[in-house]
Amino acid sequence: SIGNRTVGGAGKTPAACALAQWAREAGYRVAVLSRGHGGTRKDRVLVVSDGRGVCAGPDRAGDEPVLLAHALPGVPVVVAKDRYQAGQRAHEAFGANFYILDDGFQHRALARDLDLVLVDARDPVGNGRLLPWGPLREPAHHVSRAHAVLLTRTQGWAPGKSPAEQWLSRFDPGPCFGSVHEPGPLVLATGESRPASSLKGKPVVAFCGIARPGGFQETLEGLGAEVRGFRGFPDHHAYTRREAQDLAALCRAQGAELLVTTEKDWVRSMPILAAQPHAAFLRVSLEIRRGREELFRMIRERAAQRGVTPGGRP
């Protein structure tokens, strides 16, 4: 299970991508199981990807499962409110024997062999209050039930010195690993791919609907882009044609060369922006920098305890 304790922003989707890619390359028959937040499906179980292609759009499946489906060729992605049913479908239809539960720390109805919890190294608790008065989904001390913690955005912090590690020392969870988010490439509506460094000095207008919109603007500015206009929307926002027209007009008014968004937002806005050649999205990947081999050894050991080995049957 990959999850977190706060509402969005920790980087669960890039982490699910990174671990699913590792599991597939290691030889496990991996499937990703998701609830599909924001989807309008009527099916109890929806196959978003059969490993050969994307079978459902964000309107039915939700944006994050569709993003995962595009990013993980060869990996089935299955959505259901009951993740056990999703796992059954993945096993019966695709022979899956290794399941990644996306955003599953609070989905305690389903047993798991390893709970990996993501914590932002810079801001582990926000204002420290529970929903709806703060970002916490559950009391802070519940992090102690994690088998392991993956710190995200550890750039600039020495091991043991980040605010998150100081905070985590109070609760004694499992071992702590470190990761960073790496931006790039920049993918244009035409399908052309450019390095993230191509944004340096380029005038852009940007928009996104994610948990922490300001973080995307900071990323673009960190790459040297000249952000002449920025619009933030609610997380999982469903874009309208009028909003796309307004963004394109802002782009023209500001003399921007590109209208840039996140990959997650591109999944939702693609039907109305794909025809605009100046539109683009910035892909972001997660790289485990601290304890990578130890984490993967831990996962392999847990799988072996269940009798699951690379290429083996469950």
Side-chain angles (χ1 to χ4, degrees):
S1 167
I2 296 171
N4 67 8
R5 310 153 15 272
T6 60
V7 180
K12 295 184 305 299
T13 302
C17 272
L19 291 178
Q21 288 168 342
W22 169 81
R24 183 171 183 268
E25 291 168 3
Y28 295 101
R29 287 195 286 278
V30 60
V32 177
L33 314 180
S34 174
R35 180 177 182 178
H37 180 78
T40 60
R41 68 190 181 279
K42 296 181 180 179
D43 322 64
R44 282 196 310 169
V45 180
L46 177 64
V47 175
V48 183
S49 170
D50 59 5
R52 297 185 297 273
V54 180
C55 309
D59 54 335
R60 294 179 63 208
D63 50 12
E64 290 169 355
V66 175
L67 189 159
L68 288 164
H70 281 290
L72 294 169
V75 175
V77 178
V78 184
V79 163
K81 183 176 181 180
D82 184 334
R83 253 65 69 86
Y84 179 78
Q85 292 181 348
Q88 281 187 314
R89 176 69 62 85
H91 173 58
E92 293 165 0
F94 311 115
N97 66 357
F98 188 108
Y99 305 93
I100 292 180
L101 181 60
D102 180 38
D103 194 11
F105 192 50
Q106 286 78 33
H107 189 69
R108 301 180 70 178
L110 183 66
R112 70 287 312 276
D113 298 289
L114 190 145
D115 249 320
L116 180 64
V117 174
L118 273 59
V119 176
D120 190 319
R122 306 165 303 175
D123 184 20
V125 292
N127 66 5
R129 304 184 73 182
L130 292 168
L131 289 167
W133 298 282
L136 294 179
R137 298 177 173 185
E138 58 186 339
H141 68 272
H142 286 195
V143 73
S144 62
R145 72 174 192 270
H147 297 117
V149 172
L150 180 62
L151 296 177
T152 62
R153 302 181 177 92
T154 59
Q155 298 97 316
W157 295 102
K161 300 298 184 181
S162 71
E165 286 165 285
Q166 301 294 315
W167 173 77
L168 284 166
S169 64
R170 300 159 50 193
F171 303 112
D172 193 29
C176 192
F177 308 100
S179 68
V180 298
H181 284 76
E182 286 291 337
L186 180 73
V187 182
L188 304 185
T190 59
E192 178 188 352
S193 183
R194 299 176 182 175
S197 58
S198 67
L199 285 167
K200 187 173 183 179
K202 192 174 292 296
V204 305
V205 163
F207 73 96
C208 65
I210 56 178
R212 298 178 183 176
F216 181 55
Q217 182 173 357
E218 291 172 8
T219 296
L220 294 174
E221 291 172 342
L223 291 168
E226 181 188 339
V227 182
R228 294 188 177 180
F230 183 82
R231 295 281 173 85
F233 295 87
D235 199 9
H236 303 287
H237 181 67
Y239 293 97
T240 66
R241 191 164 300 278
R242 177 59 182 271
E243 287 167 339
Q245 291 170 346
D246 289 345
L247 287 164
L250 178 63
C251 206
R252 291 191 298 270
Q254 296 297 325
E257 294 182 28
L258 287 175
L259 177 61
V260 187
T261 190
T262 70
E263 187 173 13
K264 180 174 152 181
D265 288 281
W266 182 256
V267 166
R268 282 179 269 124
S269 61
M270 179 173 56
I272 51 180
L273 283 181
Q276 302 193 37
H278 65 288
F281 68 86
L282 184 66
R283 181 166 283 150
V284 175
S285 61
L286 180 139
E287 293 186 9
I288 301 169
R289 296 274 181 88
R290 191 194 311 168
R292 174 183 171 86
E293 292 308 315
E294 182 185 350
L295 172 60
F296 290 147
R297 180 170 59 251
M298 185 177 183
I299 295 172
R300 284 193 296 266
E301 289 173 354
R302 296 294 177 105
Q305 289 171 7
R306 288 290 188 184
V308 176
T309 56
R313 301 299 300 178

